[in-house]
Each structure stands twice: as structure tokens, then as C-alpha cells.
Amino acid sequence: MNNELLIRMILAERLPKNHAAWNPVTRELKNALAGAGGEERTLALLNKELELPESPMLLKDLHIPIKEGYAQIDILLLHRKFVCVLEVKNMTGEFYFDTENFQFHRMIDGRREGMKNPESQLHRAVKAAEKFLHAPVDGIIVLASRSGRVVEGPKHYPVVSLDYLPFYLEKLAEGEKRLDPLVLAAKLRSLPKRDFRKQLLERYGVSLNEIRLGVTCKSCRNCAMIRSERKWHCVRCGMYSKDAHEVTLQEFAVLFGEELPTGFAYRLLGVEDKYVLYRLLEKSALQGNERGKRWIVPRPELLEAYFRAVYR
């Protein structure tokens, strides 16, 4: 999971439902989850079925600079014979590409829905990749759902169903060797990491004093647990845990950074005893040279495990 997706998941859990940002957060989270599911299926299929003379490199969730902004790339495939951007769409319905006005809509359940044009998104990503890598780049729109059907196709790029994608890519590899994928990958990995935290919090208008604090019960999911007898207890469902605070610390780190003021840690975890707080933070938020502050040890696998259970 990338940080952008994790931030939306945390906000959907921690924002009160009457907050102005809760509806857009949950709506965009739903779309992001669908997209992530399509990308995971695409990567799994390629790793399993794609047969090329030499193994390709598959890079995902890239943001390549273009003019004043960035082009987002779902999956970039690097091979000695070609480079290809995969624009993965995990949508259902009937799809219509307007080749004259470069617009896009789908029909679903008798309704017409205008949406961002996948061909325009792909074209922007291809041009950004070509300029950054100084290499020719192909592009494919990938339909990850079998419940999607193209009625009117795009003008400049192919649309390929996920099942057929390995065969299509194998055709691209029939040309001459011309690229060094290791050199291209090194260049892409040198790109600075984008910090979505500040961008999304400002966009949604969310500040620290607006989110729900406390250690979340992973069963109730919106109920703060109480620390008693070295365990976290949920008064609503009776569940208990020894280390539920670990996820809360990771959530705070993703939203607001790894620096944790000790005074705020009492409120964040909902404890009052300084010895209890010390034991809870001893290994999870390390002391530095600055008095009154700790630094949370990043453990993204805890958040991934928690949210995979929530959104399975």
C-alpha cells in the first residue's frame, strides 16, 4: 500500500462523519481501493504468466515530473526491447471514448457517467516517461475487470483486457534489443519521494484537533480502548489486545510525521500514568536528544495488516 492510500484509510477511520471532508474522503477511498485491486491483479498475472526472453522489471505507483506537475503511472514495465506504461482501469459498464473531443463516459445500470479520459491520462504519462527516460515508450489501457466492455475505442492507444495482456506484451518484445532496463530503473528510483501527507490534509481541510484520538478497537473500529492490567480493553465489544497502540502510533506517523511530543502522546493513547506511557513507547517511539519529544519507529507492515483485514 502506498502512503496516499493509507492516508485516506486513516482519515476514513478517524474523521467524524459530520466533518465536511468525510464524504469526499470515503468516496475517493472507494475509487482508490478499486484501482489498487486492479493493479494488484495485473501484477500478479504478469508475474505468473508473462513469458519474455529476459525477465522484465515492473515498477508501480510512479510520479514523473512533467512541466509544473507530475504524471502518475500505475505500472511501468521495463525490458531490453521496450518500455510500456500500463494504465489500469478496474471499472464496470460500457465504455465510450470520444475520439473527436477526447472525452470519456461509461454507461452503467442505464446511467451515463462522465469520467476522466483514460487515454488522456495515459498519453500524459507516456510523454512524461519518454522525456524523463530519453527512450521510446509504449502505452496500454488495461481493463482489469471482466465486467467492463469497450463500445467505442480510443484513437491513439490500445485497450487490452487483463487476460490478454501477457500475450500483447510478448508481441512488443519481438523487436531488437535497444534498452538497458537497469539504467532506466536506477534513474526512476532517483526520483524524490512525493509527500502526500501535507497535500491531502490541506486539500481536505483536516487538522490534528479534528481527528478522533485514542487507541482504536479493531473490531468496533471507531471506539477508543481503555488500558488496564497491561492490556487494551474495548468496553463496547469486550475485545482486548496487548499491542493495539502500535497501530495508533503508525497512523499518527503517517498523518503528521514521526515526531511525537510526549505531552501529546498521553492524549493520543488515552493514558494518564507516565510509567504506563513510558512502557508503551519504550520500543515504539524512541527518545532523542531533544527533551519532551520522541520519534516513532516506522513499521508500515502493521498498518498494512490492519487495513487489509478491514478492507478484505
Side-chain angles (χ1 to χ4, degrees), residues 45-46 49-52 82 140 160-174:
L45 181 72
L46 293 180
E49 297 190 10
L50 182 59
E51 295 185 0
L52 296 175
F82 68 98
I140 303 172
V160 177
S161 67
L162 181 56
D163 293 334
Y164 186 71
L165 180 62
F167 304 101
Y168 193 96
L169 291 172
E170 288 160 12
K171 290 286 185 182
L172 289 181
E174 293 177 353

Side-chain angles (χ1 to χ4, degrees), residues 195-236:
D195 185 2
F196 293 100
R197 176 176 56 206
K198 183 178 179 181
Q199 175 187 339
L200 288 178
L201 292 179
E202 289 181 351
R203 174 182 164 191
Y204 292 131
V206 174
S207 62
L208 176 59
N209 60 10
E210 293 175 302
I211 67 167
R212 175 181 54 80
L213 302 180
V215 176
T216 301
C217 170
K218 68 179 181 180
S219 177
C220 298
R221 288 178 47 205
N222 60 0
C223 178
M225 305 179 82
I226 297 173
R227 185 74 178 180
S228 175
E229 299 178 349
R230 294 179 177 267
K231 294 179 183 178
W232 294 101
H233 298 263
C234 178
V235 297
R236 179 176 295 178

Side-chain angles (χ1 to χ4, degrees), residues 72-90:
Q72 191 269 334
I73 294 178
D74 296 334
I75 299 172
L76 184 67
L77 189 151
L78 303 177
H79 189 263
R80 282 199 175 275
K81 296 188 177 182
F82 68 98
V83 176
C84 188
V85 174
L86 304 182
E87 179 71 23
V88 181
K89 293 301 175 186
N90 190 22

Side-chain angles (χ1 to χ4, degrees), residues 73-289:
I73 294 178
D74 296 334
I75 299 172
L76 184 67
L77 189 151
L78 303 177
H79 189 263
R80 282 199 175 275
K81 296 188 177 182
F82 68 98
V83 176
C84 188
V85 174
L86 304 182
E87 179 71 23
V88 181
K89 293 301 175 186
N90 190 22
M91 302 185 299
T92 61
E94 296 182 338
F95 309 135
Y96 296 79
F97 292 82
D98 183 340
T99 57
E100 291 185 5
N101 301 307
F102 291 98
Q103 295 178 332
F104 173 80
H105 73 272
R106 71 169 174 173
M107 296 295 296
I108 182 168
D109 298 328
R111 304 188 317 273
R112 173 177 171 146
E113 294 183 356
M115 307 176 74
K116 288 183 178 179
N117 189 340
E119 185 176 28
S120 299
Q121 292 174 294
L122 177 59
H123 183 69
R124 189 168 187 266
V126 166
K127 291 305 174 186
E130 285 183 333
K131 185 174 181 180
F132 184 77
L133 296 174
H134 301 290
V137 176
D138 293 294
I140 303 172
I141 300 169
V142 180
L143 297 186
S145 171
R146 291 190 177 94
S147 298
R149 185 173 74 91
V150 177
V151 178
E152 294 180 7
K155 186 174 184 179
H156 298 290
Y157 292 94
V159 180
V160 177
S161 67
L162 181 56
D163 293 334
Y164 186 71
L165 180 62
F167 304 101
Y168 193 96
L169 291 172
E170 288 160 12
K171 290 286 185 182
L172 289 181
E174 293 177 353
E176 296 294 326
K177 292 184 179 181
R178 52 181 177 171
L179 302 166
D180 188 335
L182 293 177
V183 171
L184 298 180
K187 191 169 185 179
L188 289 165
R189 288 178 178 138
S190 71
L191 286 168
K193 298 293 184 183
R194 293 193 67 198
D195 185 2
F196 293 100
R197 176 176 56 206
K198 183 178 179 181
Q199 175 187 339
L200 288 178
L201 292 179
E202 289 181 351
R203 174 182 164 191
Y204 292 131
V206 174
S207 62
L208 176 59
N209 60 10
E210 293 175 302
I211 67 167
R212 175 181 54 80
L213 302 180
V215 176
T216 301
C217 170
K218 68 179 181 180
S219 177
C220 298
R221 288 178 47 205
N222 60 0
C223 178
M225 305 179 82
I226 297 173
R227 185 74 178 180
S228 175
E229 299 178 349
R230 294 179 177 267
K231 294 179 183 178
W232 294 101
H233 298 263
C234 178
V235 297
R236 179 176 295 178
C237 70
M239 181 189 151
Y240 67 89
S241 169
K242 291 183 179 181
D243 57 2
H245 63 286
E246 300 279 10
V247 170
T248 297
L249 292 172
Q250 296 301 316
E251 288 179 320
F252 176 84
V254 168
L255 286 184
F256 302 106
E258 295 164 9
E259 182 182 303
L260 177 65
T262 306
F264 176 74
Y266 288 100
R267 292 174 52 210
L268 177 64
L269 301 182
V271 298
E272 298 179 354
D273 189 299
K274 66 178 182 180
Y275 298 105
V276 171
L277 183 68
Y278 176 82
R279 288 196 299 270
L280 293 174
L281 300 182
E282 185 176 9
K283 296 181 180 179
S284 303
L286 304 181
Q287 290 179 317
N289 297 326

Side-chain angles (χ1 to χ4, degrees), residues 61-76:
D61 194 35
L62 299 173
H63 291 81
I64 297 182
I66 179 172
K67 293 187 177 180
E68 300 298 321
Y70 290 84
Q72 191 269 334
I73 294 178
D74 296 334
I75 299 172
L76 184 67

